[in-house]
């Protein structure tokens, strides 16, 4: 079992990584080695453990620490478990949404694009999606609706930021993913995808866009669905470099969907006839 330590003061240093360290600093916590991240809720933490991520410590409400002892903590012998009453943790923004459990975990080295995509037939690429809520929602849709890997450009919100992990419901630990190096996209990244046999489809509102139910898309053996940043969408050079431009037909004068909603429609339509 974990080692229980009672925390009575919100300003205790052991809470720094949970309460007072920005996400960017957690990401760079052990530079040049991979940093750390915060997972929340038992289900998300279990999925991270299943994927081989190593826990550093837990933070729980005292009552949850007792309840989780058998189900979760027995998997992490010797890992410190900081337990505190709700009055102490009320100062921790968002803690009431965690079902009483947080876990600080070590990041892993990122795999290469080739390692992530080597056996995939359908992948998603996120270009500069900066909202962690959208990142998490897209990852969850990708995992649920048949995408076999996700690639992020360096301009995206990090997929292991706390909110992204929470919104993904831990599916970020169940689908292969990696982040492309700055400057690698779209040029080098597109070349690498083609060398791996992928056809690319840009989700973009263009005059020459295909409808998402076009039979030509379903006949593609290996397809990469490319989604752009909130508001502006994909960059012009990315759209130009893709093999297909694809749009979701709209009704009632609506011009487009939020990128997270559009991703779910695209993933479902482009996987269901494989």
């Amino acid at each position: 079992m974990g080692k229980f330590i009672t925390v009575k003061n919100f300003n205790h240093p052991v809470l720094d990584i949970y309460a007072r360290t920005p996400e960017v600093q957690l990401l760079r916590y052990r530079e040049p080695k991979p940093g750390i991240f915060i997972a929340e809720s038992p289900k998300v933490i279990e999925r991270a453990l299943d994927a081989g991520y190593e826990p550093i410590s837990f933070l729980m409400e005292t009552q949850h620490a007792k309840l989780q002892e058998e189900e979760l903590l027995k998997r992490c012998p010797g890992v410190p478990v900081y337990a505190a009453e709700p009055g102490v943790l009320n100062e921790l923004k968002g803690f009431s949404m965690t079902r009483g459990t947080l876990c600080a975990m070590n990041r892993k080295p990122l795999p290469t694009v080739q390692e992530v995509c080597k056996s995939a037939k359908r992948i998603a690429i996120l270009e500069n999606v900066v909202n962690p809520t959208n990142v998490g929602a897209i990852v969850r849709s990708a995992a649920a609706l048949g995408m076999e890997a996700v690639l992020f450009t360096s301009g995206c919100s990090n997929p292991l930021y706390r909110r992204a992990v929470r919104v993904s419901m831990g599916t970020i630990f169940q689908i292969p993913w990696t982040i492309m190096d700055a400057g690698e996209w779209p040029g080098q990244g597109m070349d690498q995808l083609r060398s791996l046999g992928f056809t690319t489809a840009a989700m973009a509102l263009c005059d020459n866009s295909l409808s998402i139910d076009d039979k030509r898309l379903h006949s593609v053996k290996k397809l990469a669905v490319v989604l752009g940043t909130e508001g502006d969408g994909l960059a012009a050079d990315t759209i130009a470099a893709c093999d297909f431009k694809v749009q979701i037909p709209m009704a009632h004068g609506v011009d487009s969907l939020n990128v997270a909603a559009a991703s779910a429609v695209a993933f479902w339509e482009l996987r269901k006839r494989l």
Side-chain angles (χ1 to χ4, degrees):
M1 298 296 176
K3 179 182 178 182
F4 285 88
I5 304 166
T6 300
V7 178
K8 297 182 179 181
N9 184 348
F10 179 74
N11 294 316
H12 195 292
V14 300
L15 299 186
D16 284 349
I17 58 175
Y18 294 103
R20 290 175 287 275
T21 306
E23 294 276 20
V24 173
Q25 291 184 26
L26 293 176
L27 175 62
R28 299 171 179 168
Y29 201 75
R30 296 194 176 109
E31 240 173 14
K33 295 181 179 180
I36 65 178
F37 67 96
I38 306 297
E40 57 182 292
S41 87
K43 177 179 286 188
V44 170
I45 295 167
E46 286 173 359
R47 287 177 172 173
L49 293 173
D50 290 343
Y53 286 88
E54 297 179 352
I56 300 168
S57 66
F58 290 90
L59 176 62
M60 298 181 174
E61 290 183 13
T62 303
Q63 61 176 346
H64 288 282
K66 301 299 183 182
L67 293 172
Q68 295 298 330
E69 187 170 328
E70 290 296 326
E71 300 176 14
L72 182 61
L73 300 182
K74 68 181 181 181
R75 299 183 61 179
C76 308
V79 175
V81 180
Y82 301 114
E85 295 297 330
V88 174
L89 298 175
N90 284 344
E91 298 180 63
L92 180 55
K93 185 178 181 181
F95 190 79
S96 61
M97 300 170 63
T98 69
R99 297 186 180 178
T101 307
L102 296 177
C103 183
M105 311 191 86
N106 289 311
R107 289 174 177 262
K108 295 180 181 182
L110 290 174
T112 65
V113 170
Q114 184 170 2
E115 289 170 338
V116 165
C117 298
K118 62 183 178 182
S119 60
K121 298 294 190 295
R122 290 291 187 270
I123 67 172
I125 301 173
L126 277 61
E127 179 184 271
N128 302 339
V129 178
V130 297
N131 186 316
T133 297
N134 283 336
V135 168
I138 294 169
V139 168
R140 187 175 183 182
S141 292
L145 300 175
M147 297 295 107
E148 296 163 292
V150 182
L151 303 181
F152 301 89
T153 67
S154 60
C156 285
S157 176
N158 192 278
L160 292 186
Y161 280 173
R162 182 177 163 190
R163 181 176 292 275
V165 172
R166 181 174 69 234
V167 174
S168 83
M169 286 299 295
T171 54
I172 190 64
F173 307 119
Q174 297 177 307
I175 188 169
W177 63 274
T178 196
I179 301 171
M180 292 179 278
D181 292 335
E184 188 175 352
W185 182 262
Q188 183 181 345
M190 287 284 190
D191 292 341
Q192 188 170 17
L193 288 171
R194 290 195 175 96
S195 72
L196 294 170
F198 282 94
T199 298
T200 51
M203 298 301 299
L205 299 174
C206 301
D207 291 338
N208 59 343
S209 291
L210 302 179
S211 174
I212 198 167
D213 59 357
D214 192 290
K215 292 181 179 179
R216 284 170 285 183
L217 297 171
H218 296 287
S219 67
V220 174
K221 183 177 180 181
K222 299 179 73 174
L223 185 66
V225 183
V226 190
L227 298 140
T229 186
E230 301 87 348
D232 293 335
L234 290 169
D237 55 347
T238 299
I239 296 172
C242 285
D243 300 299
F244 292 112
K245 290 75 177 173
V246 182
Q247 62 179 300
I248 301 168
M250 298 282 115
H252 299 292
V254 178
D255 59 353
S256 65
L257 298 174
N258 165 275
V259 64
S263 74
V265 175
F267 299 160
W268 169 253
E269 180 64 31
L270 296 175
R271 56 80 79 175
K272 67 181 182 180
R273 301 183 190 176
L274 285 175

